[in-house]
Amino acid sequence: MALTGLQIYKLLPQTNCKECGHPTCLAFAMKLAAKQAELAGCPYVTPEAKAQLESASAPPIRLVTVSNNGTKIEEGNETVMFRHEKTFYHRAALMIRLKDDDPALQEKISKADSYIVDYVGIKLGVDGFAIEATADATKFVEAIKVTRSATKKPLILIAADSAAMAEGAKEAGDKPLLYAADESNWQKMAELAKSLKTPLAVKAASLEKLAELTESIKKLGVEDLVLDPMMNGHLDSLSALTQIRRLAIKKNFRALGYPVITFPNDEVLAAQHVAKYSSFVVLDDFDPAMMYALLALRQNIYTDPQKPIQVLPGLYEINSPKPDSPVFVTTNFSITYFAVNNEVEGSGLQGWLLVADAEGMSVLTAWAAGKFDADRIAKAVKTTGIESKVNHKKIIIPGQVAVLSGELEESLPGWQIMVGPKEAVDLPAYVKTMWKN
Amino acid sequence: MPTVEIPKEKWNGKVREVKIGATKEEGGSRTKTITIGGEATLPFLHFENTIPHAPALAIEIKDRKPADWSPLLYEAWGDAMNDPAAWAKAAEASGADLIVLTLSVATKPDEAKATVRKVLNATGLPLAVFGPGQAEKDNELIVPVAEEAKGEKLLIGVCEDKNYRTIVAAAMANDHLVTSKTPMDVNLAKQLVILIHDMGMPLERIVMDPTTGALGYGIEYGYSVMERLRLAALQGDSMTQQPMIVTPGEEAWKAKESKVGEGVPESWGEWKKRAIYWETLTATPLIHAGADVVVLRHPESLKKVKGMINALMSKGN
């Protein structure tokens, strides 16, 4: 947790020597709190105070990186409990777990590895794989080799025996996540993670035991840790993950200040984990329908609330429109834009899509906020030159803002304002019945 | 072993308890009533404070067979969709805690009255009745419905900032409850509760509908508005302490992902599975954000969501 200026001031020499370039120690402390100055600017700060200040400025949840071949999964560094307070920074990784004795291992991995789904123009896929040892090191190593031949994505290695883990890690690429250190094997696992410079997951069935383990492991020099509180039910995992997040963010409890890994056994629990505080969500089955739904949810939850995803306002062409093609009006919120564009494009109809600057909000939200009104729509009509591209004077506005049609007729003399359907999905049917008339 | 002190928030407020439906003794004809709200902490954080009631699950039925629903919903409900009474019974059998009946634009006031009577006779569950969402039509249909079902403690709507007076007056005169619907905004939600309360409607008879988007189509806006409303309620802001109703069924089944099975990318996976995931994964985050009444459309989604809610309410296991 960040210290306040006054808390920092108490740790400074309080001599007002001005050598840091600030008039007083308090002024310097305020700059430090606002992250506008570096502690190195003070030549007289004591080593104890320095250590205290440095640890206080470390992020409450450590950033942990799992990687291979240039692909990185970065988790942690979260600073809030609720996305509206600022944003969630590092999107939860969605990964698939497979056992090393799975006869269809290669096939399953190839299929999931090549999976790509387009969501509002963003290409999304599975983030990586977890390979679980079921017997000896030989089988495990074999499976990891097979995995590596089928995917370049980062891996989680699941083995209880540190010797098998060591053998497997040799084949696993750059920085796999080793899963997991527990009460019985933590020393060996920590030594291994330290020598490989790779992150280590830690599991224990109570928060006390988990904290005790992470502290012990940290003393051995391994700091890139991931927590598994071993809670599988809906209620227990929500409680444990909320407590871990609160302890890290609100209490600055370092022993639990790490990203969390979970293994949900159904899509509803996986959805809870995406929304409520898991960083590595490891699924047992790869099903495109489920993966698409979870990826969409993950994108939604991790969207920065202060920066709605926008498209540039302006005139967009759908399926090479002609002068007699219809003109649709919508906002520049990306999801709204894609909904309209996809419907018209998918139906094979031609059309002009006039995207008004609604500050990145959806139709109803923008209308409620006064960002999608007659003036803005009229401005879009006038500035995009649509008038010179079509041989008619008709625009179709979203049904949700039917109330604007009167005002628009005044703002756009000579134009006919048509009220379209409320939902983009109904646009093709609307065009087929209403446009030709 | 390090001591880990479980961090608990000290909340000053809690959500109001609202009871929907009236039994014979209470002046209605319901065999079951349902109480929602009362949470004194964030959703399902039983370790922190009390949560007296589970979120209620509703199935939405229409007074006439809808023309534009997904084929999967026709497949699920079959011939029952031709008769609201049969549909209500099927919804009850699927495990719904209450029925939401939405009336169509084409419906006439007398037909609306008759349909509500039929549905009340067909099921003992509490009932919500909403107009088609067009101000004049809502008033035209909901006022006679409120009179017809006097004393039943129906949940009626749609009350919006531009059209709430007529429906609130009808609810007050006939002993019903109202929903207060606002477009994804904390202040607008609060404001409309104040306006409805100012007409004399007790707060114990108002349920907020903060509006949501579907998964993939702006759910994060509704989700965060609900989280903010619930935090405000727990922090003691009285006019945000109403229980919340949300309609993930309606929203999810509008999305192409649920609605259609052809002409979509292969990466979307199997249609029926995807459609149910879309509805359950729209409902799940909203339930974790504080939804008290969750209106669904498909019986399989209801079953799945009910299992989750049972697990989340089973403290002591």
Side-chain angles (χ1 to χ4, degrees):
Chain A
M1 201 186 314
L3 296 180
T4 65
L6 274 179
Q7 285 167 325
I8 296 172
Y9 174 68
K10 287 178 188 153
L11 297 170
L12 295 177
Q14 303 175 23
T15 53
N16 298 336
C17 71
K18 300 187 180 62
E19 285 181 46
C20 62
H22 298 278
T24 62
C25 288
L26 183 59
F28 181 54
M30 292 299 175
K31 290 282 177 190
L32 283 174
K35 301 207 183 330
Q36 292 165 347
E38 296 286 334
L39 186 60
C42 176
Y44 305 110
V45 67
T46 63
E48 298 79 52
K50 197 177 167 195
Q52 222 174 323
L53 285 164
E54 275 172 357
S55 87
S57 68
I61 299 176
R62 190 176 172 87
L63 186 72
V64 172
T65 304
V66 180
S67 66
N68 186 53
N69 195 44
T71 307
K72 275 200 287 190
I73 299 173
E74 288 186 314
E75 299 297 340
N77 257 4
E78 301 300 340
T79 59
V80 292
M81 297 297 298
F82 302 97
R83 57 185 294 283
H84 67 258
E85 294 175 306
K86 189 156 176 72
T87 186
F88 291 171
Y89 289 98
H90 292 97
R91 300 180 313 190
L94 293 169
M95 305 178 78
I96 307 292
R97 172 166 64 177
L98 292 150
K99 291 189 163 54
D100 65 1
D101 63 352
D102 191 327
L105 185 67
Q106 180 156 22
E107 192 190 329
K108 285 183 180 173
I109 291 188
S110 296
K111 195 175 158 211
D113 181 71
S114 62
Y115 178 77
I116 294 174
V117 66
D118 187 305
Y119 173 69
V120 297
I122 311 166
K123 303 261 185 277
L124 300 171
V126 174
D127 292 297
F129 297 89
I131 305 301
E132 181 170 358
T134 56
D136 54 12
T138 322
K139 186 142 203 135
F140 191 46
V141 169
E142 188 68 19
I144 292 167
K145 283 183 179 167
V146 168
T147 303
R148 265 287 156 258
S149 71
T151 179
K152 289 180 175 167
K153 292 182 176 177
L155 299 184
I156 299 173
L157 304 185
I158 303 179
D161 172 24
S162 60
M165 186 71 95
E167 291 299 308
K170 286 181 196 161
E171 307 296 332
D174 301 344
K175 273 192 173 201
L177 171 62
L178 309 183
Y179 179 97
D182 59 20
E183 265 184 308
S184 63
N185 69 6
W186 64 272
Q187 278 145 317
K188 285 180 175 171
M189 285 292 185
E191 294 300 339
L192 181 60
K194 191 179 178 185
S195 70
L196 297 171
K197 294 190 175 60
T198 206
L200 176 64
V202 183
K203 65 174 178 180
S206 81
L207 297 188
E208 281 83 7
K209 282 185 182 154
L210 201 51
E212 185 184 23
L213 272 176
T214 63
E215 302 233 294
S216 306
I217 290 169
K218 197 176 163 188
K219 281 183 193 135
L220 293 182
V222 180
E223 294 196 63
D224 286 340
L225 302 177
V226 172
L227 309 173
D228 179 4
M230 297 176 77
M231 299 294 173
N232 290 318
H234 288 257
L235 179 56
D236 291 343
S237 78
L238 180 66
S239 304
L241 269 62
T242 302
Q243 288 165 4
I244 289 172
R245 181 81 153 229
R246 278 189 185 173
L247 282 161
I249 286 175
K250 299 174 103 93
K251 303 288 176 193
N252 207 25
F253 187 75
R254 294 283 168 195
L256 295 177
Y258 303 97
V260 172
I261 184 168
T262 54
F263 299 87
N265 54 13
D266 71 16
E267 73 284 357
V268 180
L269 188 54
Q272 179 199 86
H273 289 163
V274 166
K276 295 291 175 187
Y277 316 135
S278 176
S279 290
F280 296 88
V281 180
V282 186
L283 305 163
D284 279 333
D285 288 305
F286 169 69
D287 166 15
M290 188 198 295
M291 186 52 71
Y292 177 35
L294 285 170
L295 284 166
L297 178 64
R298 196 261 314 261
Q299 293 305 106
N300 291 167
I301 293 290
Y302 280 83
T303 298
D304 186 344
Q306 284 135 21
K307 284 184 228 152
I309 313 167
Q310 305 188 16
V311 294
L312 277 177
L315 186 63
Y316 291 80
E317 300 184 359
I318 304 173
N319 294 335
S320 319
K322 301 199 170 58
D324 64 346
S325 300
V327 179
F328 308 100
V329 178
T330 193
T331 75
N332 68 324
F333 176 42
S334 67
I335 291 171
T336 305
Y337 162 80
F338 282 111
V340 176
N341 182 73
N342 293 353
E343 288 308 331
V344 179
E345 193 177 70
S347 69
L349 293 165
Q350 296 165 316
W352 305 91
L353 182 52
L354 193 56
V355 176
D357 182 1
E359 300 182 16
M361 291 182 222
S362 64
V363 170
L364 211 50
T365 314
W367 171 76
K371 309 292 184 194
F372 188 54
D373 53 17
D375 285 350
R376 287 193 186 230
I377 295 172
K379 192 178 160 209
V381 170
K382 287 168 187 162
T383 55
T384 53
I386 178 70
E387 198 166 353
S388 63
K389 303 200 175 189
V390 291
N391 59 11
H392 58 82
K393 286 191 124 185
K394 294 180 204 166
I395 56 170
I396 301 170
I397 64 169
Q400 300 276 21
V401 291
V403 325
L404 294 178
S405 56
E407 239 181 294
L408 263 172
E409 274 165 11
E410 282 173 33
S411 311
L412 291 170
W415 284 81
Q416 184 189 339
I417 314 301
M418 297 173 66
V419 176
K422 285 190 179 174
E423 301 302 329
V425 69
D426 301 318
L427 265 175
Y430 172 86
V431 171
K432 278 166 200 156
T433 55
M434 298 299 291
W435 184 251
K436 297 299 169 201
N437 305 329
Chain B
M1 209 182 283
T3 49
V4 176
E5 199 184 327
I6 299 301
K8 292 184 186 176
E9 301 283 347
K10 285 201 172 52
W11 304 110
N12 301 317
K14 61 177 187 175
V15 180
R16 278 192 187 84
E17 284 193 337
V18 168
K19 192 172 113 176
I20 307 170
T23 61
K24 208 170 172 187
E25 295 73 42
E26 294 161 338
S29 66
R30 304 299 78 210
T31 53
K32 195 185 156 208
T33 63
I34 193 142
T35 304
I36 52 169
E39 302 97 319
T41 179
L42 291 165
F44 313 110
L45 299 189
H46 301 282
F47 69 84
E48 187 162 88
N49 216 330
T50 54
I51 300 168
H53 309 291
L57 296 177
I59 284 285
E60 180 187 1
I61 65 171
K62 305 273 286 181
D63 62 338
R64 45 183 84 207
K65 188 174 179 176
D68 57 349
W69 279 23
S70 169
L72 294 177
L73 291 166
Y74 296 109
E75 186 187 293
W77 297 110
D79 288 341
M81 292 172 96
N82 295 313
D83 172 16
W87 197 350
K89 273 190 183 156
E92 182 172 1
S94 77
D97 301 307
L98 72 160
I99 306 292
V100 168
L101 169 66
T102 48
L103 303 170
S104 309
V105 181
T107 298
K108 301 207 164 47
D110 282 347
E111 293 171 327
K113 273 164 66 172
T115 300
V116 167
R117 179 51 58 199
K118 269 175 75 179
V119 171
L120 285 169
N121 291 339
T123 172
L125 293 182
L127 180 65
V129 184
F130 300 141
Q134 298 177 7
E136 274 176 37
K137 195 73 199 181
D138 284 0
N139 295 346
E140 186 192 329
L141 296 179
I142 293 298
V143 172
V145 163
E147 288 164 357
E148 171 69 24
K150 186 176 173 71
E152 293 282 4
K153 287 216 153 62
L154 304 183
L155 179 62
I156 58 175
V158 181
C159 294
E160 296 180 284
D161 63 342
K162 289 203 171 64
N163 185 61
Y164 64 91
R165 295 182 162 275
T166 308
I167 293 172
V168 172
M172 282 165 55
N174 298 289
D175 215 6
H176 299 303
L177 297 78
V178 294
T179 55
S180 154
K181 186 175 170 73
T182 45
M184 296 197 224
D185 184 284
V186 172
N187 293 320
L188 293 177
K190 189 175 162 180
Q191 179 68 20
L192 188 53
V193 170
I194 293 171
L195 291 172
I196 291 173
H197 182 50
D198 279 352
M199 281 184 68
M201 177 60 97
L203 292 167
E204 287 68 31
R205 282 161 59 191
I206 305 173
V207 179
M208 295 191 289
D209 178 351
T211 308
T212 183
L215 173 64
Y217 294 87
I219 191 176
E220 67 272 27
Y221 291 90
Y223 175 82
S224 284
V225 165
M226 289 173 72
E227 290 203 324
R228 290 171 59 200
L229 280 167
R230 183 51 48 87
L231 285 166
L234 295 175
Q235 282 154 5
D237 185 346
S238 178
M239 292 297 149
T240 61
Q241 289 171 342
Q242 306 314 120
M244 294 187 275
I245 182 171
V246 285
T247 53
E250 180 187 346
E251 296 302 326
W253 285 101
K254 276 194 291 204
K256 200 170 179 176
E257 280 80 353
S258 304
K259 200 168 181 180
V260 298
E262 284 170 19
V264 301
E266 205 186 318
S267 55
W268 285 14
E270 193 193 314
W271 178 26
K272 187 172 176 194
K273 277 184 170 178
R274 179 179 75 241
I276 303 296
Y277 291 148
W278 223 259
E279 189 173 24
T280 53
L281 263 58
T282 301
T284 298
L286 301 177
I287 289 166
H288 284 84
D292 295 285
V293 181
V294 182
V295 189
L296 300 168
R297 281 188 175 173
H298 198 288
E300 270 185 46
S301 307
L302 182 120
K303 199 173 150 197
K304 192 85 197 182
V305 173
K306 200 176 190 97
M308 174 186 80
I309 287 177
N310 288 342
L312 286 165
M313 290 302 288
S314 64
K315 54 181 170 166
N317 283 2

